[in-house]
Amino acid sequence: MAQGSESVEGKTYVIGTDTTFAPFEFRKDGELTGIDMDILQAIAEDQGFKVEVRSLGFSAALAALSSNQVDGVIAGMSITDERKDIYDFSEPYFESGVQMAVANKDEDVKGYEDLEGKTVVAKTGSEGESYAKSISKKYGFKVKSLDQSATMYESVKSGSAVAVFDDYPVLAYGIAQGNGLKTVTDKVPGGSYGFAVNKGENTALLAAFNDGLAELKANGEYQKILDEYLADPSAAVPSNFFDLVAKSFPALMTGLWHTLLVTAISFAIAMALGLVFGFLKISHNIVLRGIATTFVNIFRGTPLLLWAFMFYFGLPQLTGWEISVWTAGVLTLSLNAGAYVAEIVRGGIQSVDPGQLEASRSLGLGYGKSMQKVVVPQAFKMMTPSLINQLIISLKDSSLLLAIGFGELLYQGQQIYAANFRVTETLLIVGVIYFIAIMALTKLANYADRRFNK
Amino acid sequence: MSAVTEQSSQVKIQVKDLHKSFGSNNVLKGIDIDIREGEVVCVIGPSGSGKSTLLRCLNKLEDITSGKVVVDGFDVTDPKVDINEVRRHVGMVFQHFNLFPHMSVAENIMLAPVELKKMNKAQARERALELLERVGLKDKADARPASLSGGQKQRVAIARALAMAPGIMLFDEATSALDPEMVGEVLQVIKELAESGMTMVLVTHEMGFAREVGDRVIFMADGVVCEEGEPEQLFGNPQQERTRDFLSKVL
């Protein structure tokens, strides 16, 4: 029944998904799991293809699909008319519906009519959001859109919103995990979820998905998967804080390692860029100076996050190259830090008394030698505190790369609290790890400074 | 080597119609000077008269606007002449010493001979110690410049300028930044150098010293040489009104 001449057998497809949309996708002991994941794996096995799953976040996964960074997206995504204009959808694999939940202890909000003048939250681009917006005028409440279920639940618990509109299976799973909410309205029957590919592309993959889905429904496998997640969702949730630390530690250490590695690589490149552009900035040649000034102004004058999106989603569409999340991450961090390092280098060199260069030149040493032996060693000594500062800023900035699904420390933390809904405690652990890592780095850098810059 | 010019071997420095401007500000307005080998020339004059600029044009620390400067046989205004080569023949001592703070005293002196591959490190250190002995600071060889007094710093700077065995020495107000009690020790070193037959040009405010050590004194005002002559004649019987006016203020 497969359409198109291509066969999917033996091929590997890259599939984008959300980071955290339990019970459809979430991490359990570091492994990505959930209804979507199990259905996808079962279909792949049935149809004889392989999948490589990239856990990017919902919006990022769709951006990656549009830029052909991934072949398909499965992310508990409702099939809507707007989306059908841009993507081709499979047969629905899950019938969802929207439900409203409030904080456990909230006795005031029992239905939509109690929402007058209040704020509710919903997930950006979700069925819940469009439903909430469609009735917001009638009941007189405001809708705030957030990106993740876990943060939505937190804002309801903390009182910055009174209610959340979310897909019922997600709400049900969260409540069973002890997220501190309760449902107060009936489920509004609505959207069904589908697997999406770019319009007109990957038709063989889409056909294989439909074939596989039909097969799973026929042989009972499909129902087994749903039951596993929806019938008894009270899976292994860490019971106390230390249990949480122990359970999350391996994933967080992986995150820390990625954070340190991407910072180290990027900062090494930034130093090289900074030296080159810093010297160009003090050049007597107006063209070279212009090039350096342009570089610095562009990367200092625009947000880091913009470049992360640009390199990861924009560049592949412009050039057709496939760009890994590591390449995009290193490009983003090193160009941003490089602009700051260039300014540090320029300032350091200009802070050296011009008499030093004159004295060296008057001895008959050339410009390059004089710079190398006399000016730069003194400049470097003055630059060191600023460079250490920039290194620490870069390390912290690397957390922004979670937006493109780079598996650094904060991203790993998000993955963990998205599955267990213990946002505050998980963030606390992540914060302590960042703090310790940065303190250790500062001590090390200061020691090196004292040692080599006497 | 490339640009040996016509004049007799007697003349070490030849300046012809030298003009120098910074933007629209004309600092030197046509200077003509010949300095013979072994001659000690002191340049005096009020602030802003162009003395230091003249000195800095001699080793091209300032770009020359027009005119000709020939130093030790090299035409420094000729773009084909390697200015680094010329500078190895011309030592320079600055008002603010400009010692390299990240190097020891000996390393300051060794830098040029080692980097320009004239000597290996051991030879250069030996030479540095000789020069330090000459300025009376051999025991400070391994000290950092920051630990020296002003007078000691300037003596080290003189030793550093001598490291490449130059035939000409330029002194740009070498004692102006010193505390009064340290001026003597530096002038003593300069005097010994003058007596050894070194060709020297000194921009100075020390009139007594100029009179004692100089073979010739040049009085500059407003970017031109106003008057020049032997010290006795210039200080004792100045011909120009400007010179008399200046001397009456500083003597």
Side-chain angles (χ1 to χ4, degrees):
Chain A
M1 191 162 125
Q3 307 148 1
S5 50
E6 297 172 69
S7 157
V8 295
E9 274 213 48
K11 288 202 176 143
T12 300
Y13 292 97
V14 182
I15 308 297
T17 185
D18 202 343
T19 45
T20 51
F21 191 54
F24 291 92
E25 40 267 330
F26 60 99
R27 277 184 203 273
K28 200 165 132 191
D29 304 330
E31 287 293 308
L32 201 58
T33 179
I35 296 173
D36 282 354
M37 295 304 105
D38 286 7
I39 288 180
L40 183 67
Q41 285 300 347
I43 290 174
E45 217 163 281
D46 183 65
Q47 296 290 310
F49 63 90
K50 290 196 177 69
V51 289
E52 185 193 322
V53 176
R54 295 211 184 135
S55 164
L56 300 170
F58 187 76
S59 319
L62 289 186
L65 181 59
S66 298
S67 58
N68 285 320
Q69 289 272 69
V70 297
D71 298 307
V73 165
I74 185 162
M77 174 165 46
S78 306
I79 303 169
T80 64
D81 288 341
E82 289 92 343
R83 287 184 185 140
K84 275 201 242 172
D85 288 343
I86 331 169
Y87 310 115
D88 285 336
F89 280 94
S90 68
E91 298 295 323
Y93 66 85
F94 188 84
E95 299 296 336
S96 187
V98 174
Q99 217 171 358
M100 181 174 93
V102 299
N104 244 339
K105 54 182 188 301
D106 187 342
E107 299 300 333
D108 302 331
V109 180
K110 295 193 171 71
Y112 304 138
E113 53 283 349
D114 300 322
L115 293 174
E116 173 111 39
K118 305 257 167 54
T119 301
V120 307
V121 286
K123 199 170 189 181
T124 314
S126 72
E127 192 83 341
E129 186 191 37
S130 42
Y131 180 72
K133 280 185 174 161
S134 73
I135 62 166
S136 65
K137 273 234 176 72
K138 183 174 161 198
Y139 294 102
F141 59 87
K142 271 190 289 205
V143 182
K144 193 167 90 182
S145 299
L146 291 173
D147 238 17
Q148 287 183 15
S149 297
T151 34
M152 292 196 300
Y153 303 162
E154 279 307 296
S155 56
V156 173
K157 270 197 290 183
S158 70
S160 61
V162 291
V164 51
F165 284 74
D166 208 351
D167 293 5
Y168 89 85
V170 180
L171 271 180
Y173 178 81
I175 288 165
Q177 297 284 301
N179 68 358
L181 303 186
K182 61 180 180 192
T183 49
V184 287
T185 57
D186 289 334
K187 160 184 166 193
V188 181
S192 33
Y193 295 167
F195 167 77
V197 296
N198 238 349
K199 200 151 193 73
E201 288 178 44
N202 280 314
T203 48
L205 174 62
L206 195 60
F209 188 94
N210 285 334
D211 291 351
L213 183 61
E215 183 66 29
L216 294 190
K217 281 184 171 165
N219 68 16
E221 180 84 0
Y222 174 80
Q223 197 53 48
K224 251 169 68 188
I225 292 171
L226 291 197
D227 287 348
E228 188 186 336
Y229 291 97
L230 293 178
D232 177 26
S234 59
V237 174
S239 49
N240 62 47
F241 183 73
F242 294 103
D243 201 16
L244 175 70
V245 172
K247 275 230 150 67
S248 54
F249 210 66
L252 291 179
M253 284 302 112
T254 309
L256 177 63
W257 167 240
H258 288 168
T259 291
L260 294 177
L261 196 61
V262 79
T263 306
I265 296 171
S266 302
F267 201 72
I269 298 172
M271 283 293 292
L273 287 172
L275 273 176
V276 170
F277 286 108
F279 270 95
L280 291 186
K281 276 213 92 170
I282 53 164
S283 156
H284 293 293
N285 184 319
I286 190 163
V287 176
L288 296 180
R289 219 165 51 228
I291 291 171
T293 306
T294 308
F295 168 79
V296 170
N297 286 349
I298 286 177
F299 287 101
R300 219 171 45 162
T302 45
L304 184 86
L305 199 48
L306 180 137
W307 288 103
F309 290 144
M310 188 72 101
F311 287 129
Y312 194 58
F313 303 129
L315 206 56
Q317 294 190 66
L318 290 175
T319 60
W321 304 330
E322 198 179 317
I323 288 175
S324 79
V325 71
W326 273 91
T327 312
V330 167
L331 270 175
T332 305
L333 279 184
S334 58
L335 288 168
N336 177 273
Y340 286 95
V341 172
E343 279 301 300
I344 294 170
V345 168
R346 180 198 57 76
I349 288 170
Q350 285 182 341
S351 70
V352 176
D353 174 13
Q356 292 287 310
L357 180 60
E358 284 191 346
S360 175
R361 295 304 310 269
S362 78
L363 290 167
L365 270 65
Y367 178 81
K369 261 283 188 254
S370 299
M371 276 293 175
Q372 182 200 339
K373 293 288 171 182
V374 175
V375 178
V376 171
Q378 295 181 57
F380 194 74
K381 198 167 152 180
M382 278 183 261
M383 280 155 25
T384 310
S386 308
L387 288 175
I388 294 173
N389 204 26
Q390 184 57 47
L391 174 63
I392 288 165
I393 290 172
S394 289
L395 190 144
K396 290 188 289 187
D397 279 353
S398 70
S399 64
L400 288 170
L401 298 179
L402 70 85
I404 56 170
F406 181 81
E408 50 73 55
L409 181 52
L410 187 53
Y411 173 94
Q412 301 290 354
Q414 265 191 354
Q415 298 280 321
I416 291 164
Y417 69 60
N420 64 23
F421 300 102
R422 298 174 68 165
V423 179
T424 316
E425 290 155 294
T426 310
L427 285 176
L428 191 68
I429 298 169
V430 169
V432 168
I433 295 175
Y434 268 118
F435 184 77
I436 292 171
I438 287 169
M439 284 306 286
L441 190 67
T442 312
K443 293 263 178 250
L444 190 73
N446 286 339
Y447 171 77
D449 182 27
R450 278 198 304 274
R451 186 80 199 277
F452 299 112
N453 278 339
K454 267 205 303 170
Chain B
M1 301 298 143
S2 57
V4 179
T5 41
E6 67 285 352
Q7 84 291 340
S8 78
S9 62
Q10 279 278 87
V11 176
K12 269 288 216 195
I13 301 174
Q14 188 184 41
V15 179
K16 266 188 185 165
D17 196 27
L18 171 62
H19 288 258
K20 169 66 186 174
S21 21
F22 295 98
S24 60
N25 181 19
N26 300 320
V27 178
L28 299 179
K29 304 167 185 168
I31 307 277
D32 292 283
I33 301 172
D34 284 343
I35 295 170
R36 295 185 310 279
E37 183 156 15
E39 197 177 14
V40 177
V41 174
C42 294
V43 183
I44 61 170
S47 308
S49 59
K51 319 180 289 286
S52 285
T53 306
L54 168 65
L55 197 74
R56 291 161 60 84
C57 283
L58 298 183
N59 66 350
K60 221 181 171 183
L61 279 186
E62 299 292 350
D63 284 322
I64 291 159
T65 307
S66 73
K68 193 169 175 181
V69 175
V70 180
V71 174
D72 220 5
F74 295 94
D75 180 355
V76 304
T77 45
D78 179 351
K80 289 197 290 282
V81 168
D82 177 8
I83 191 63
N84 293 329
E85 177 66 30
V86 182
R87 285 172 178 158
R88 287 162 210 171
H89 297 250
V90 184
M92 187 161 194
V93 177
F94 300 87
Q95 181 180 355
H96 295 288
F97 332 126
N98 298 350
L99 292 181
F100 307 135
H102 58 302
M103 300 178 188
S104 73
V105 163
E107 284 165 349
N108 263 270
I109 303 171
M110 291 158 63
L111 178 72
V114 171
E115 289 304 323
L116 299 172
K117 309 234 182 317
K118 297 286 181 212
M119 300 176 195
N120 64 31
K121 277 202 167 165
Q123 291 168 319
R125 180 160 174 98
E126 203 172 310
R127 167 90 178 141
L129 292 177
E130 274 170 39
L131 288 167
L132 283 172
E133 187 155 36
R134 203 162 147 188
V135 300
L137 289 170
K138 195 175 177 184
D139 56 324
K140 297 288 186 190
D142 296 313
R144 289 271 164 171
S147 69
L148 304 182
S149 73
Q152 290 172 328
K153 282 181 190 164
Q154 196 60 300
R155 281 145 70 198
V156 172
I158 293 171
R160 182 178 69 181
L162 290 169
M164 294 297 288
I168 298 168
M169 285 285 282
L170 309 176
F171 292 84
D172 189 3
E173 303 195 19
T175 57
S176 297
L178 295 177
D179 290 338
E181 74 270 23
M182 293 175 181
V183 171
E185 61 187 79
V186 173
L187 291 182
Q188 184 56 37
V189 171
I190 298 176
K191 193 174 161 187
E192 282 167 21
L193 207 53
E195 284 162 359
S196 75
M198 176 74 74
T199 309
M200 311 205 311
V201 184
L202 299 95
V203 169
T204 183
H205 292 294
E206 300 287 334
M207 297 305 153
F209 181 74
R211 193 167 188 163
E212 183 190 344
V213 177
D215 295 317
R216 185 160 37 130
V217 178
I218 293 175
F219 172 68
M220 279 182 73
D222 292 330
V224 295
V225 174
C226 188
E227 184 170 354
E228 64 177 305
E230 286 182 14
E232 289 311 317
Q233 185 258 316
L234 191 123
F235 286 111
N237 184 21
Q239 301 299 304
Q240 300 288 327
E241 180 59 37
R242 286 294 312 257
T243 319
R244 281 199 290 275
D245 188 43
F246 174 72
L247 291 175
S248 74
K249 281 177 188 151
V250 297
L251 287 180

